[in-house]
């Protein structure tokens, strides 16, 4: 991990929905305010719509945390699309730490009892159903019936349906008219703008304990903004991978080339076309192809020679000839590269990673581990393309 290296106390770009790290963009802030307003005004039913990766689940956890003293929460995530109404009620009771009864009527009485008990204690039960677009119409109708639990003065349960845009389409179906009429507030989250992406990255780094010079150059952040299209989940992935590469290079700031490598590793850009002429194929593209087809061993396997314009991997291997080495005691990847290649830079790191697809963490190599390294250009390999000389040098 790069945390200590960059002086971080926590992973700023983790994959879990940590409410503390929520960055409140314009639409995130508005959605959170709307969720709170719907709850405190006792409206009974709100909906949150957002495409995947925009931080919907993180926002929901932040909402539940903010209303914690006034509510007892139930959080149901990604229920089975075949979930039956009875199973939905069972899930709610289990989350309330109640053992469900056998019959539907008994479970209804159990739920009513806990709702009334919480109301006497000055709290409302909030039921949040995430990824609600997967629910069947029967299950959604059961959700509507939950809103009937009420007294003459107030609703006993507040429901939040959260999901992807398909949820909005589903709610527009004529068969769900009654459910749609119960929804009093609809919140939406949109992708971050370019300005917000910069603020998002800085926000998470500061919360993780970073101080001092920026970890990302302006141009590196621009590349992240372009590739991520403002989706926080993608931003996190690119930033994490770029920092990992930066650490492996023993650098202190992420630059363009590191982000480009992170983008390529995440397959966010098209791979190199196979029909380039041999002389025009850069080594980086050869290694990119190798990484997608099995590492160094892929260089010994021909492409489909029946297709016109295709070159064989043996011909392409004329650019580089990989060789295998063993990691010594207390050696880092940098030490190995310097020992056998005489250099260790961003280009070399990309080549090594491409030749070793299982080397997911360049910062962690162990003594005795075997690693393929890119060799110098071998001018005679092209002449030997018709025999198996190169193939014998590969696994």
């Amino acid at each position: 991990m790069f945390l200590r290296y960059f002086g971080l106390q926590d992973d700023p770009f983790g994959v879990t929905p940590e409410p503390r790290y929520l960055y409140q963009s314009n639409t995130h802030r508005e959605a959170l305010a709307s969720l709170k307003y719907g709850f405190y005004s006792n409206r009974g039913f709100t909906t949150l719509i957002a495409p995947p990766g925009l931080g919907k689940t993180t926002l929901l956890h932040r909402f539940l945390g903010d209303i914690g003293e006034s509510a007892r929460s139930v959080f149901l995530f990604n229920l089975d699309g075949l979930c039956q109404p009875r199973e939905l009620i069972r899930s709610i009771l289990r989350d309330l730490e109640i053992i469900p009864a056998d019959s539907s009527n008994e479970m209804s009485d159990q739920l009513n009892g806990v709702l009334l008990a919480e109301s006497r204690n000055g709290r409302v039960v909030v039921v949040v159903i995430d990824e609600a677009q997967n629910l069947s119409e029967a299950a959604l109708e059961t959700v509507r019936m939950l809103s009937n639990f009420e007294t003459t003065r107030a609703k006993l349960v507040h429901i939040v349906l959260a999901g992807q845009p398909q949820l909005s389409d589903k709610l527009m179906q004529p068969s769900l008219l009654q459910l749609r009429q119960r929804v009093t507030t609809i919140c939406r989250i949109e992708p971050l703008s370019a300005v917000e992406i910069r603020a998002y990255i800085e926000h998470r780094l500061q919360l993780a304990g970073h101080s001092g010079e920026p970890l990302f150059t302006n141009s590196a952040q621009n590349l992240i903004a372009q590739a991520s299209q403002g989706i926080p989940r993608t931003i996190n992935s690119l930033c994490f991978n770029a920092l990992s590469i930066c650490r492996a290079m023993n650098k202190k700031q992420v630059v363009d080339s590191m982000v480009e490598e992170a983008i390529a590793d995440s397959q966010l850009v098209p791979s190199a076309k196979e029909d380039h002429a041999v002389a025009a194929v850069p080594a980086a593209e050869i290694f990119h192809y190798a990484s997608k087809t099995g590492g160094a061993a892929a260089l010994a396997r021909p492409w489909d020679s029946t297709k016109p314009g295709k070159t064989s991997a043996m011909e392409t291997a004329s650019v580089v000839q990989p060789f295998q080495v063993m990691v010594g005691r207390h050696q880092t990847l940098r030490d190995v590269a310097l020992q056998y290649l005489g250099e260790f830079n961003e280009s070399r790191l990309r080549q090594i990673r491409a030749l070793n697809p299982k080397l997911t963490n360049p910062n962690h190599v162990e003594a005795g581990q075997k690693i393929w390294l890119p060799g110098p250009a071998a001018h005679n390999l092209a002449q030997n393309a018709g025999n198996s000389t190169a193939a014998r040098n590969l696994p």
Side-chain angles (χ1 to χ4, degrees):
M1 287 292 290
F2 50 72
L3 300 185
R4 183 179 301 176
Y5 181 79
F6 290 112
L8 302 173
Q9 300 171 1
D10 195 12
D11 181 1
F13 303 109
V15 295
T16 57
E18 172 56 63
R20 186 170 67 93
Y21 277 96
L22 176 69
Y23 170 72
Q24 296 193 35
S25 70
N26 289 334
T27 58
H28 284 78
R29 183 170 55 254
E30 291 172 2
L32 181 58
S34 296
L35 287 172
K36 290 181 180 180
Y37 177 78
F39 170 76
Y40 286 117
S41 61
N42 195 32
R43 306 309 295 172
F45 225 121
T46 56
T47 301
L48 175 63
I49 306 292
L54 292 188
K56 167 173 52 64
T57 304
T58 303
L59 182 65
L60 290 172
H61 282 293
R62 175 64 178 270
F63 162 66
L64 292 177
D66 288 350
I67 65 171
E69 295 183 358
S70 305
R72 182 174 179 183
S73 62
V74 173
F75 193 97
L76 303 181
F77 174 77
N78 209 16
L79 291 171
D80 190 336
L82 301 177
C83 175
Q84 297 299 312
R86 180 180 294 185
E87 185 56 38
L88 178 61
I89 301 300
R90 281 201 182 100
S91 298
I92 293 174
L93 288 173
R94 291 192 191 102
D95 210 73
L96 290 170
E97 300 180 346
I98 298 174
I99 299 176
D102 294 329
S103 71
S104 297
N105 287 337
E106 289 175 313
M107 286 192 292
S108 180
D109 290 340
Q110 285 179 307
L111 182 56
N112 190 58
V114 70
L115 295 179
L116 287 171
E118 292 297 332
S119 179
R120 286 193 291 269
N121 291 328
R123 298 197 299 181
V124 176
V125 173
V126 178
V127 177
V128 175
I129 303 179
D130 201 2
E131 303 300 339
Q133 76 278 353
N134 297 329
L135 293 181
S136 65
E137 289 191 18
L140 286 171
E141 176 61 17
T142 301
V143 172
R144 181 187 71 82
M145 297 296 292
L146 290 176
S147 63
N148 291 332
F149 286 97
E150 58 188 1
T151 67
T152 56
R153 300 182 60 185
K155 295 285 185 180
L156 297 178
V157 60
H158 182 82
I159 302 165
V160 178
L161 282 181
Q164 299 176 25
Q166 299 94 306
L167 174 61
S168 180
D169 298 335
K170 182 169 284 188
L171 292 177
M172 292 303 297
Q173 296 177 9
S175 56
L176 293 175
L177 174 61
Q178 294 187 68
L179 173 60
R180 188 167 67 251
Q181 290 174 341
R182 300 288 181 98
V183 177
T184 58
T185 306
I186 299 179
C187 320
R188 297 183 183 275
I189 307 176
E190 301 294 339
L192 306 182
S193 67
V195 173
E196 289 174 334
I197 291 173
R198 288 176 175 270
Y200 173 89
I201 294 174
E202 184 60 28
H203 167 77
R204 296 184 74 98
L205 286 172
Q206 287 182 356
L207 285 177
H210 173 256
S211 60
E213 295 297 320
L215 285 186
F216 293 81
T217 64
N218 289 334
S219 55
Q221 292 188 56
N222 289 338
L223 284 176
I224 293 172
Q226 294 170 10
S228 68
Q229 298 183 343
I231 300 174
R233 183 182 297 162
T234 306
I235 297 170
N236 288 354
S237 177
L238 290 178
C239 288
F240 177 87
N241 290 332
L243 285 171
S244 297
I245 294 170
C246 185
R247 170 63 184 92
M249 299 297 303
N250 281 341
K251 303 292 185 181
K252 285 295 186 179
Q253 188 177 53
V254 174
V255 297
D256 300 25
S257 58
M258 298 173 189
V259 176
E260 290 171 353
E261 175 64 14
I263 293 171
D265 288 346
S266 301
Q267 297 182 343
L268 296 177
V269 294
S271 59
K273 295 182 179 180
E274 296 176 354
D275 56 357
H276 288 320
V278 176
V281 179
E285 293 186 5
I286 297 168
F287 284 109
H288 179 70
Y289 171 79
S291 69
K292 304 306 177 188
T293 54
L299 293 176
R301 294 197 298 268
W303 284 323
D304 187 353
S305 59
T306 63
K307 296 179 181 179
K310 300 294 188 289
T311 58
S312 71
M314 188 66 67
E315 290 171 318
T316 307
S318 62
V319 180
V320 288
Q321 183 182 14
F323 62 97
Q324 195 176 58
V325 300
M326 183 179 294
V327 178
R329 292 185 60 186
H330 307 301
Q331 276 194 318
T332 65
L333 187 60
R334 177 185 178 87
D335 296 331
V336 174
L338 290 175
Q339 178 181 348
Y340 292 98
L341 302 178
E343 61 179 356
F344 187 61
N345 49 40
E346 296 166 17
S347 175
R348 284 302 194 191
L349 178 60
R350 287 195 293 270
Q351 293 172 353
I352 294 171
R353 286 165 63 93
L355 284 170
N356 301 272
K358 294 183 179 180
L359 187 64
T360 56
N361 186 355
N363 297 325
H364 182 69
V365 292
E366 298 178 350
Q369 181 178 348
K370 294 182 179 180
I371 297 177
W372 284 95
L373 297 177
H379 65 276
N380 60 332
L381 282 183
Q383 300 174 357
N384 297 330
N387 56 46
S388 60
T389 301
R392 288 196 297 271
N393 292 328
L394 297 172

